[in-house]
Amino acid sequence: MESLLLIFKALSDRNRLRILHALVAQKELCACQITELIQVTNATASRHMGVLINANLVQRRKKGRWVYYQLHTENQGVENVFTWIEKKLKEDPEALLDLISLEEITRCGPEEICKKHKTLKFCSKQ
Amino acid sequence: MESLLLIFKALSDRNRLRILHALVAQKELCACQITELIQVTNATASRHMGVLINANLVQRRKKGRWVYYQLHTENQGVENVFTWIEKKLKEDPEALLDLISLEEITRCGPEEICKKHKTLKFCSKQ
DNA sequence: TGTTTATTTAGCCAAGTGTCTAAGTATTAT
DNA sequence: ATAATACTTAGACACTTGGCTAAATAAACA
């Protein structure tokens, strides 16, 4: 009962659902990329990631200063939740916009977006 | 995105998860039975049912003074959520206790439980 | 018709939650 | 060693949510 509640609570926030969806699409993301995607402070993004980890939906690995997050696919039975979310958001406008942003964030971004540029530079060091 | 959030929010409360699980087990329950199961006031139970209905997880039908609730199984893609919850709670102590309570509530209960007795009498009128 | 019963809705309050700023921790660069 | 960088944690605040009581609504009964 507790683990189910943790999962549902974790996913009942819009930004966390967006993060989860992004991880379905992109397998692994760095903290700064997530921060950029959902447009909150790094502190808020970090808090959110803690909730997803605590719910056993996401895993974390550290490489130097950088922290990378992936879906916790070894968590039994949770994979169909990920599939279900992917399916449900397949044609959702907001979710599609996120995927477009994600492309930019994880690829060479425009130089005028100083923060994004920095983000790309650091994260491609993996 | 909105419908997913509504679903996750609806299921992120313990009592609502218990109600949902009970409906998985028992197909249809009356408001008074739900009230008895989760041990809150009728007003609170009614509030919870409103949330589940609003999330399109549950449907309501009225018969005279009595209101019956069932899972909204025609809601596309939500059936595997029900199945997943059932699976996850298969051996959960708290959920099993609920199923035992549910047996009592939906069957002839002990006479000393005056409220339960009344409940059974009314609900068997369907 | 008035009374009783079952349920829903409204209003209030305490607890929970998302976001921010600031401080703290760990890693890298100078 | 100090400074810079990336991220986490702490504390505060505004907003949301679960539970209660009371009022309102609908249906059945006398």
Side-chain angles (χ1 to χ4, degrees), chain A residues 18-32:
Chain A
R18 291 169 70 203
I19 291 166
L20 208 288
H21 186 238
L23 286 171
V24 167
Q26 196 72 14
K27 294 306 163 212
E28 185 170 73
L29 290 169
C30 156
C32 58

Side-chain angles (χ1 to χ4, degrees), chain A residues 18 21 37 93-103, chain B residues 1:
Chain A
R18 291 169 70 203
H21 186 238
L37 176 70
E94 188 175 356
L96 290 176
L97 281 177
D98 275 353
L99 293 187
I100 291 166
S101 299
L102 201 58
E103 284 273 339
Chain B
M1 188 74 90

Side-chain angles (χ1 to χ4, degrees), chain A residues 30 32 43 46 60 65-66 69 122:
Chain A
C30 156
C32 58
S46 184
R60 179 197 269 149
R65 295 186 208 160
W66 295 279
Y69 298 94
F122 289 128

Side-chain angles (χ1 to χ4, degrees), chain B residues 101-113:
Chain B
S101 298
L102 201 57
E103 284 273 339
E104 299 286 332
I105 289 166
T106 54
R107 200 205 286 157
C108 292
E111 293 175 357
E112 75 269 9
I113 311 182

Side-chain angles (χ1 to χ4, degrees), chain B residues 5 8 10-11 14 26 35 40 55 65 70 72 74 81 90 92 111-112 115:
Chain B
L5 284 172
F8 288 131
L11 296 175
R14 181 185 302 275
Q26 195 72 12
T35 299
V40 291
R65 294 187 208 158
Q70 331 88 36
H72 192 163
E74 294 93 44
V81 175
K90 202 165 190 79
D92 181 88
E111 293 175 357
E112 75 269 9
K115 198 185 175 191

